[in-house]
Amino acid sequence: MSLLAGKKALVFGVANKYSIAWAIAEMFKQEGADVGLSYAIPQLEKRVQPLAEELGVTFVEKCDVTSDDEIDAVFEKAGAHFSEIDILVHAIAFAPSNELEGRFYNTSREGFRVAMDISAYSYVALAQRALNLMPNGGSMVTMTYYGAEKVVPHYNVMGVAKAALEASTRYLAADLGPHNIRVNAISAGPIKTLAAAGIAGFRKMLGYVGERAPLRRNIDQEEVAKTALWLCSDLGSGVTGEIVYVDAGYHILGMPEPPEKWE
Ligand code: NAD
């Protein structure tokens, strides 16, 4: 059974084959969806275009989400190509690398603005355009991280931006629910990707979480994609405004020390 047969999905945030957005695009395609891809900057075209061809995706458009004109243009093209869409995937985040090391109190005004604009506001900006292409309802999903709720070393201003993203998810869910559009977020555990590589000490983070998470391992892109699949398919029909964790259970721990260390 194909869970997304007849569905059309727009996926933002593919940079390379390690991107969470790419794993989601692959899974959606495998489940029968017609998929469109968007990437941020011209330099990424040479990586994204071959991936799209591999998947048989013909809608591949550049969109820097800091530009309203580029967002308008990509949705205009999506309207011409798909006429309507059912699914929006937002897997985009950015903060200048100097903000993802050292102390949070050193965050610059510009670093704060950029992180908020690209990592949080862009979900709202994409949702407001996607609404016009979802006359029969749909599903939207974004990617967040536990650093929105708890202090994680070096995550700094990105944690603040993710907190705004999670709150935006709830406000969007309340506004778009009457349009039969569900809006959710997936809180993924650490995965080695381009974005993650920008966080100082990321390898240590992976090791720490993998050792202590209830499942005693890290998660991968495919596991995030499987959760995106149920949220964006009919399997998730009653779920909106949620932050769904795909983190091997790490977030439930009040004292993240494996019990064997006490034995
Ligand atoms: P990634 O680097 O593959 O994806 C991030 C994407 O954001 C890239 O495609 C990049 O081009 C895009 N982007 C940055 N600035 C942009 C702009 N101005 N306009 C348009 N796109 C822009 O890394 P990823 O880990 O797949 O990240 C996807 C999402 O998952 C992000 O929101 C990230 O915070 C989130 N996430 C990642 C992890 C992890 O450990 N990798 C954990 C939890 C959440």
Side-chain angles (χ1 to χ4, degrees), residues 4-250:
L4 298 179
K7 303 279 186 202
K8 296 168 186 172
L10 259 189
V11 179
F12 286 79
V14 181
N16 57 36
K17 65 178 179 178
Y18 303 107
S19 295
I20 292 171
W22 173 243
I24 293 174
E26 274 187 306
M27 175 131 329
F28 282 12
K29 188 81 181 158
Q30 191 183 305
E31 288 296 324
D34 191 359
V35 174
L37 298 178
S38 178
Y39 59 92
I41 47 172
Q43 295 89 310
L44 290 175
E45 190 184 353
K46 64 178 183 298
R47 290 199 203 288
V48 178
Q49 197 63 51
L51 289 173
E53 279 165 26
E54 195 183 298
L55 215 55
V57 165
T58 55
F59 186 90
V60 189
E61 293 294 336
K62 184 185 101 63
C63 175
D64 179 341
V65 296
T66 60
S67 159
D68 282 330
D69 289 346
E70 289 201 22
I71 298 175
D72 285 335
V74 80
F75 276 93
E76 206 177 299
K77 287 178 188 164
H81 184 92
F82 293 107
S83 74
E84 291 172 8
I85 62 169
D86 305 279
I87 297 167
L88 172 73
V89 176
H90 172 275
I92 291 173
F94 179 79
S97 58
N98 64 310
E99 305 290 358
L100 301 173
E101 60 186 15
R103 298 294 181 180
F104 172 69
Y105 67 72
N106 285 324
T107 304
S108 68
R109 186 184 298 272
E110 181 60 7
F112 195 100
R113 186 195 66 73
V114 167
M116 279 289 184
D117 185 18
I118 299 179
S119 315
Y121 176 71
S122 65
Y123 194 29
V124 183
L126 298 188
Q128 66 187 227
R129 273 74 168 197
L131 171 62
N132 300 323
L133 296 183
M134 292 182 167
N136 302 310
S139 180
M140 304 182 180
V141 68
T142 187
M143 302 299 136
T144 184
Y145 176 61
Y146 189 52
E149 295 165 62
K150 302 288 180 193
V151 174
V152 172
H154 300 151
Y155 204 60
N156 296 354
V157 71
M158 189 56 83
V160 177
K162 291 298 193 193
L165 179 69
E166 293 184 8
S168 301
T169 299
R170 290 183 284 273
Y171 276 89
L172 288 170
D175 277 359
L176 302 185
H179 297 267
N180 194 28
I181 297 172
R182 297 182 295 105
V183 186
N184 292 290
I186 296 174
S187 185
I191 307 173
K192 210 172 149 202
T193 62
L194 199 61
I199 304 162
F202 181 76
R203 276 164 58 113
K204 277 193 186 153
M205 195 195 273
L206 264 183
Y208 184 93
V209 170
E211 236 181 65
R212 290 164 176 80
L215 294 181
R216 296 289 189 276
R217 63 174 178 85
N218 284 293
I219 56 113
D220 64 19
Q221 291 88 333
E222 193 191 345
E223 291 179 295
V224 177
K226 286 192 283 190
T227 294
L229 174 62
W230 75 256
L231 281 173
C232 293
S233 72
D234 192 52
L235 295 180
S237 61
V239 182
T240 194
E242 281 302 318
I243 313 298
V244 179
Y245 296 87
V246 181
D247 68 345
Y250 184 81

